[in-house]
Amino acid sequence: NFIKVTDSQLNAVTGTLEQSTDKMSFTFTPSSSLMQNESYTVSVSAVKDLAGNQTPGFNLGFTTTASISSACL
């Protein structure tokens, strides 16, 4: 997969990945609730832009709080 979500122990977070109809974004929905007060990393690699050019990969980190409602990346 070109998008991978891991916790602070590098365990993969399972879930579904859905591309928007305009192909401009993706939504990752974890299979189960994320842990409270936990750090996560979203790793993106091997992505091409609309012209077919390879883009550099990147990582994005975030930490959940004691009270989880929703998140949008």
Side-chain angles (χ1 to χ4, degrees):
N1 291 341
F2 61 93
I3 296 178
K4 182 178 179 181
V5 181
T6 54
D7 65 16
S8 61
Q9 302 300 312
L10 301 179
N11 297 308
V13 176
T14 59
T16 58
L17 187 64
E18 187 174 333
Q19 186 175 24
S20 63
T21 55
D22 64 3
K23 299 185 181 198
M24 299 295 287
S25 64
F26 288 89
T27 299
F28 176 79
T29 304
S31 298
S32 59
S33 296
L34 299 178
M35 298 294 293
Q36 295 180 359
N37 299 312
E38 177 68 55
S39 296
Y40 291 91
T41 301
V42 178
S43 302
V44 180
S45 62
V47 176
K48 293 184 179 182
D49 64 19
L50 294 175
N53 302 306
Q54 185 75 37
T55 61
F58 65 91
N59 294 324
L60 168 75
F62 67 95
T63 302
T64 57
T65 63
S67 176
I68 304 170
S69 56
S70 65
C72 181
L73 302 175

